[in-house]
Amino acid sequence: MKRALILLTLVLSAYITASCTDEDPGRNPESSTVDVTLSLKAKAMEARAIDEDSINDVNIFFYNDDDSRNYHFYFEKYTTPLTVQILPGTYELYVVANTHGDLGELAEGELLQYRYPAANMDTDIPMAAHTKAGIIANTTLPILQMQRAAAKIIYSISIDQASVDRIGLRSIQFCNIPDNMALWSEAASTSEEGFHNGELVVIDTPQAFSSACYLPENCQGDVESITNEEERIPENAP
């Protein structure tokens, strides 16, 4: 499933608060924290039932290469810019938006396995971004692309004019929707559990209906023994 992308601009500027004239000659510069300022911007789009572009709350994670110093920051409400303090170094930087809660102190592996409950995707879409960041004085990172964890599906259903006297639309329902979504990788399902059916929508226009919905990835896994289209039958499905 192709995911939509949204631009996230992060401007990080780091500086050492003491001047050279005031600095202790024996002080190790890596023992002093620096300010890291982040500014996030979402592309403006027309209003929708669910806001595809808003950034409401933000979790930020810094993981040092040797895992000796890790940082986590949570901002319940996003305002620009965001400023945090960390020690200089090289980090894996992860930004997660719209989880509506503090994810807490997670190890990098735990964060990569985190799954967001699909039922919580009500007014906005969870987003994530990742990059490697070298934090030094006056550092500006390139633009990151925030990736949504769900795709917008626009659908349209109509009855052929020759069949309108025999067939009419009554309702529509999306089925087999994953209960949660991975932010960082495609995670295939290995069982029939962990899925649900969407809300039944009653249709009052029996000849035609169109709408939109937001669905997480529904990766069902691969069967390597299948080599042609004729073998793509329910009996061989993962």
Side-chain angles (χ1 to χ4, degrees):
M1 177 185 297
K2 183 179 179 181
R3 293 176 172 175
L5 298 178
I6 184 173
L7 291 182
L8 161 68
T9 304
L10 294 97
V11 181
L12 285 84
S13 87
Y15 60 91
I16 301 176
T17 56
S19 67
C20 294
T21 56
D22 297 329
E23 184 177 284
D24 181 354
R27 182 176 61 83
N28 181 357
E30 291 192 358
S31 66
S32 299
T33 60
V34 296
D35 288 346
V36 180
T37 301
L38 298 87
S39 296
L40 299 86
K41 182 179 180 181
K43 180 177 66 174
M45 297 185 70
E46 61 188 84
R48 295 180 173 88
I50 189 170
D51 196 331
E52 302 168 19
D53 307 305
S54 65
I55 298 174
N56 295 309
D57 66 296
V58 179
N59 280 269
I60 301 172
F61 297 86
F62 291 88
Y63 297 102
N64 189 254
D65 278 356
D66 60 8
D67 208 33
S68 61
R69 56 176 82 131
N70 299 327
Y71 299 93
H72 167 240
F73 305 94
Y74 176 66
F75 296 88
E76 185 175 2
K77 183 177 181 180
Y78 170 67
T79 57
T80 184
L82 302 176
T83 300
V84 299
Q85 289 189 326
I86 66 173
L87 291 170
T90 301
Y91 296 88
E92 298 292 334
L93 169 60
Y94 297 86
V95 181
V96 183
N98 301 336
T99 60
H100 305 292
D102 187 342
L103 297 183
E105 303 294 333
L106 298 176
E108 185 175 10
E110 293 175 320
L111 177 62
L112 293 175
Q113 294 300 316
Y114 172 78
R115 301 184 70 92
Y116 181 79
N120 293 352
M121 189 177 63
D122 184 20
T123 59
D124 53 25
I125 298 176
M127 306 176 190
H130 164 244
T131 190
K132 198 174 190 69
I135 305 301
I136 57 175
N138 301 320
T139 299
T140 300
L141 291 185
I143 294 175
L144 288 180
Q145 290 184 320
M146 288 292 280
Q147 185 163 294
R148 299 180 183 90
K152 180 180 182 180
I153 307 298
I154 300 175
Y155 61 93
S156 180
I157 304 170
S158 61
I159 302 300
D160 185 89
Q161 191 61 34
S163 304
V164 295
D165 58 337
R166 295 179 291 108
I167 301 174
L169 298 175
R170 294 184 178 179
S171 63
I172 185 170
Q173 182 180 34
F174 281 86
C175 301
N176 202 37
I177 302 173
D179 291 340
N180 49 57
M181 57 192 76
L183 298 180
W184 306 106
S185 62
E186 296 182 354
S189 172
T190 57
S191 71
E192 295 182 0
E193 300 178 354
F195 298 88
H196 66 278
N197 293 336
E199 180 182 357
L200 185 71
V201 179
V202 177
I203 298 175
D204 55 7
T205 53
Q207 275 71 54
F209 182 78
S210 61
S211 187
C213 67
Y214 299 86
L215 297 177
E217 285 186 323
N218 192 350
C219 301
Q220 295 293 301
D222 298 318
V223 178
E224 296 181 359
S225 61
I226 295 178
T227 58
N228 58 66
E229 291 296 327
E230 287 73 18
E231 294 178 291
R232 295 181 180 274
I233 57 177
E235 290 75 15
N236 292 339

